[in-house]
Short mmCIF file of all heavy atoms in Angstrom, two decimals:
data_model
loop_
_atom_site.label_atom_id
_atom_site.label_comp_id
_atom_site.label_asym_id
_atom_site.label_seq_id
_atom_site.Cartn_x
_atom_site.Cartn_y
_atom_site.Cartn_z
N PHE F 320 -15.85 -5.11 -4.58
CA PHE F 320 -14.81 -5.76 -3.79
C PHE F 320 -13.53 -4.95 -3.94
O PHE F 320 -13.37 -4.18 -4.89
CB PHE F 320 -14.60 -7.19 -4.30
CG PHE F 320 -13.85 -8.09 -3.34
CD1 PHE F 320 -14.45 -8.53 -2.17
CD2 PHE F 320 -12.56 -8.51 -3.63
CE1 PHE F 320 -13.77 -9.37 -1.29
CE2 PHE F 320 -11.88 -9.35 -2.76
CZ PHE F 320 -12.48 -9.77 -1.59
N ALA F 321 -12.61 -5.11 -2.99
CA ALA F 321 -11.34 -4.39 -3.05
C ALA F 321 -10.21 -5.30 -2.60
O ALA F 321 -10.35 -6.05 -1.63
CB ALA F 321 -11.38 -3.14 -2.17
N VAL F 322 -9.09 -5.20 -3.31
CA VAL F 322 -7.88 -5.95 -2.98
C VAL F 322 -6.73 -4.96 -2.97
O VAL F 322 -6.46 -4.29 -3.97
CB VAL F 322 -7.60 -7.07 -4.00
CG1 VAL F 322 -6.36 -7.85 -3.57
CG2 VAL F 322 -8.80 -7.99 -4.14
N MET F 323 -6.04 -4.84 -1.84
CA MET F 323 -5.02 -3.81 -1.65
C MET F 323 -3.65 -4.46 -1.48
O MET F 323 -3.51 -5.42 -0.73
CB MET F 323 -5.37 -2.96 -0.42
CG MET F 323 -4.53 -1.71 -0.27
SD MET F 323 -4.97 -0.71 1.20
CE MET F 323 -6.64 -0.24 0.81
N ASP F 324 -2.67 -3.94 -2.20
CA ASP F 324 -1.31 -4.48 -2.15
C ASP F 324 -0.42 -3.60 -1.30
O ASP F 324 -0.26 -2.41 -1.58
CB ASP F 324 -0.74 -4.60 -3.56
CG ASP F 324 0.58 -5.35 -3.58
OD1 ASP F 324 1.61 -4.74 -3.21
OD2 ASP F 324 0.59 -6.54 -3.94
N GLY F 325 0.18 -4.19 -0.26
CA GLY F 325 1.13 -3.50 0.59
C GLY F 325 2.47 -4.20 0.61
O GLY F 325 3.18 -4.15 1.62
N THR F 326 2.80 -4.90 -0.48
CA THR F 326 4.13 -5.52 -0.56
C THR F 326 5.19 -4.42 -0.54
O THR F 326 6.15 -4.48 0.22
CB THR F 326 4.24 -6.38 -1.82
OG1 THR F 326 3.89 -5.61 -2.98
CG2 THR F 326 3.30 -7.58 -1.72
N PHE F 327 5.01 -3.42 -1.40
CA PHE F 327 5.64 -2.12 -1.22
C PHE F 327 4.58 -1.20 -0.63
O PHE F 327 3.42 -1.24 -1.05
CB PHE F 327 6.09 -1.52 -2.55
CG PHE F 327 7.36 -2.09 -3.12
CD1 PHE F 327 7.35 -2.75 -4.34
CD2 PHE F 327 8.58 -1.93 -2.46
CE1 PHE F 327 8.52 -3.26 -4.89
CE2 PHE F 327 9.75 -2.44 -3.00
CZ PHE F 327 9.72 -3.10 -4.22
N ALA F 328 4.93 -0.35 0.31
CA ALA F 328 4.01 0.63 0.87
C ALA F 328 4.66 1.99 0.84
O ALA F 328 5.89 2.11 0.95
CB ALA F 328 3.60 0.25 2.29
N GLY F 329 3.83 3.04 0.70
CA GLY F 329 4.35 4.39 0.54
C GLY F 329 4.04 5.28 1.72
O GLY F 329 2.90 5.34 2.19
N ASP F 330 5.06 6.00 2.19
CA ASP F 330 4.96 6.84 3.38
C ASP F 330 5.36 8.27 3.03
O ASP F 330 6.37 8.50 2.37
CB ASP F 330 5.92 6.26 4.44
CG ASP F 330 6.27 7.21 5.57
OD1 ASP F 330 5.41 8.04 5.93
OD2 ASP F 330 7.39 7.12 6.09
N GLY F 331 4.55 9.24 3.48
CA GLY F 331 4.89 10.63 3.24
C GLY F 331 4.00 11.28 2.20
O GLY F 331 2.83 10.96 2.10
N PRO F 332 4.55 12.18 1.38
CA PRO F 332 3.72 12.95 0.45
C PRO F 332 3.34 12.17 -0.81
O PRO F 332 3.86 12.39 -1.90
CB PRO F 332 4.60 14.16 0.12
CG PRO F 332 5.99 13.69 0.31
CD PRO F 332 5.94 12.67 1.41
N GLY F 333 2.42 11.23 -0.63
CA GLY F 333 1.97 10.42 -1.75
C GLY F 333 0.98 11.15 -2.62
O GLY F 333 0.47 12.20 -2.25
N PRO F 334 0.67 10.60 -3.81
CA PRO F 334 1.03 9.25 -4.23
C PRO F 334 2.34 9.11 -5.00
O PRO F 334 2.71 8.00 -5.36
CB PRO F 334 -0.15 8.88 -5.15
CG PRO F 334 -0.51 10.17 -5.79
CD PRO F 334 -0.32 11.22 -4.72
N ARG F 335 3.04 10.22 -5.26
CA ARG F 335 4.21 10.10 -6.14
C ARG F 335 5.54 10.39 -5.47
O ARG F 335 6.58 9.91 -5.95
CB ARG F 335 4.03 11.03 -7.36
CG ARG F 335 3.01 10.51 -8.34
CD ARG F 335 2.91 11.40 -9.57
NE ARG F 335 2.08 12.56 -9.33
CZ ARG F 335 1.82 13.50 -10.24
NH1 ARG F 335 2.35 13.39 -11.44
NH2 ARG F 335 1.05 14.52 -9.94
N ALA F 336 5.56 11.13 -4.37
CA ALA F 336 6.84 11.52 -3.76
C ALA F 336 7.06 10.83 -2.42
O ALA F 336 7.54 11.43 -1.47
CB ALA F 336 6.89 13.04 -3.61
N MET F 337 6.74 9.56 -2.36
CA MET F 337 6.75 8.83 -1.09
C MET F 337 8.11 8.20 -0.80
O MET F 337 8.92 7.99 -1.69
CB MET F 337 5.69 7.72 -1.12
CG MET F 337 4.30 8.19 -1.43
SD MET F 337 3.18 6.79 -1.66
CE MET F 337 3.84 6.03 -3.15
N ARG F 338 8.30 7.88 0.47
CA ARG F 338 9.37 6.98 0.88
C ARG F 338 8.85 5.55 0.73
O ARG F 338 7.71 5.26 1.09
CB ARG F 338 9.79 7.26 2.32
CG ARG F 338 10.42 8.65 2.50
CD ARG F 338 10.72 8.96 3.95
NE ARG F 338 9.49 9.14 4.73
CZ ARG F 338 8.83 10.28 4.82
NH1 ARG F 338 9.23 11.36 4.16
NH2 ARG F 338 7.74 10.38 5.56
N ILE F 339 9.69 4.67 0.23
CA ILE F 339 9.26 3.31 -0.13
C ILE F 339 9.67 2.33 0.96
O ILE F 339 10.82 2.34 1.42
CB ILE F 339 9.89 2.89 -1.47
CG1 ILE F 339 9.54 3.90 -2.58
CG2 ILE F 339 9.43 1.49 -1.87
CD1 ILE F 339 10.41 3.78 -3.82
N HIS F 340 8.73 1.47 1.35
CA HIS F 340 9.00 0.45 2.36
C HIS F 340 8.53 -0.92 1.87
O HIS F 340 7.48 -1.02 1.23
CB HIS F 340 8.26 0.77 3.67
CG HIS F 340 8.59 2.12 4.24
ND1 HIS F 340 9.61 2.31 5.15
CD2 HIS F 340 8.03 3.33 4.04
CE1 HIS F 340 9.66 3.60 5.49
NE2 HIS F 340 8.71 4.24 4.82
N ASN F 341 9.29 -1.96 2.19
CA ASN F 341 8.82 -3.33 2.00
C ASN F 341 7.99 -3.73 3.21
O ASN F 341 8.51 -3.78 4.33
CB ASN F 341 10.00 -4.30 1.87
CG ASN F 341 10.73 -4.18 0.54
OD1 ASN F 341 11.93 -4.06 0.50
ND2 ASN F 341 9.99 -4.22 -0.56
N LYS F 342 6.70 -4.00 3.03
CA LYS F 342 5.85 -4.38 4.15
C LYS F 342 5.21 -5.75 3.97
O LYS F 342 4.61 -6.28 4.91
CB LYS F 342 4.77 -3.31 4.37
CG LYS F 342 5.33 -1.99 4.90
CD LYS F 342 6.06 -2.17 6.22
CE LYS F 342 6.60 -0.86 6.77
NZ LYS F 342 7.39 -1.06 8.02
N ASN F 343 5.30 -6.34 2.78
CA ASN F 343 4.99 -7.76 2.58
C ASN F 343 3.57 -8.15 2.96
O ASN F 343 3.33 -9.29 3.37
CB ASN F 343 5.97 -8.63 3.39
CG ASN F 343 7.40 -8.24 3.16
OD1 ASN F 343 7.86 -8.15 2.03
ND2 ASN F 343 8.14 -8.00 4.25
N VAL F 344 2.61 -7.24 2.80
CA VAL F 344 1.25 -7.52 3.25
C VAL F 344 0.26 -7.27 2.12
O VAL F 344 0.48 -6.42 1.25
CB VAL F 344 0.90 -6.65 4.49
CG1 VAL F 344 0.78 -5.18 4.11
CG2 VAL F 344 -0.36 -7.14 5.17
N ILE F 345 -0.82 -8.05 2.11
CA ILE F 345 -1.92 -7.85 1.16
C ILE F 345 -3.24 -7.94 1.91
O ILE F 345 -3.35 -8.65 2.92
CB ILE F 345 -1.88 -8.88 0.00
CG1 ILE F 345 -1.79 -10.31 0.52
CG2 ILE F 345 -0.70 -8.58 -0.93
CD1 ILE F 345 -1.77 -11.37 -0.58
N LEU F 346 -4.23 -7.18 1.45
CA LEU F 346 -5.51 -7.07 2.13
C LEU F 346 -6.64 -7.22 1.13
O LEU F 346 -6.50 -6.88 -0.05
CB LEU F 346 -5.67 -5.72 2.84
CG LEU F 346 -4.61 -5.21 3.79
CD1 LEU F 346 -3.49 -4.49 3.04
CD2 LEU F 346 -5.22 -4.25 4.81
N ALA F 347 -7.81 -7.69 1.61
CA ALA F 347 -8.98 -7.80 0.74
C ALA F 347 -10.24 -7.66 1.58
O ALA F 347 -10.28 -8.07 2.75
CB ALA F 347 -8.99 -9.13 -0.01
N SER F 348 -11.28 -7.08 0.97
CA SER F 348 -12.55 -6.92 1.68
C SER F 348 -13.65 -6.52 0.70
O SER F 348 -13.38 -5.89 -0.33
CB SER F 348 -12.44 -5.85 2.76
OG SER F 348 -13.67 -5.70 3.46
N ALA F 349 -14.88 -6.88 1.05
CA ALA F 349 -16.05 -6.36 0.34
C ALA F 349 -16.46 -5.00 0.87
O ALA F 349 -17.35 -4.37 0.30
CB ALA F 349 -17.21 -7.35 0.47
N ASP F 350 -15.83 -4.56 1.95
CA ASP F 350 -16.17 -3.30 2.60
C ASP F 350 -15.03 -2.31 2.35
O ASP F 350 -13.96 -2.40 2.94
CB ASP F 350 -16.35 -3.54 4.11
CG ASP F 350 -16.82 -2.31 4.86
OD1 ASP F 350 -16.56 -1.18 4.39
OD2 ASP F 350 -17.43 -2.48 5.94
N GLN F 351 -15.27 -1.34 1.45
CA GLN F 351 -14.22 -0.40 1.10
C GLN F 351 -13.83 0.50 2.27
O GLN F 351 -12.68 0.94 2.37
CB GLN F 351 -14.68 0.46 -0.08
CG GLN F 351 -14.84 -0.32 -1.37
CD GLN F 351 -14.96 0.58 -2.57
OE1 GLN F 351 -14.34 1.63 -2.65
NE2 GLN F 351 -15.77 0.16 -3.53
#
C-alpha cells in the first residue's frame, strides 16, 4: 500500500533543491 503526502509539495530539482508549495492534499492507493 502507499500513502503520499502533498501538504507541502516540491517543484523543480528534487528531492533536495526544490521550490516549496502548500498544496494541502494527501493520496492513498494499493496501486503504486
Side-chain angles (χ1 to χ4, degrees):
F320 196 71
V322 182
M323 191 179 297
D324 189 282
T326 53
F327 282 117
D330 163 32
R335 287 183 279 180
M337 304 172 294
R338 295 175 291 275
I339 304 164
H340 303 269
N341 287 130
K342 291 301 182 184
N343 310 309
V344 69
I345 52 179
L346 307 85
S348 180
D350 185 334
Q351 293 194 35

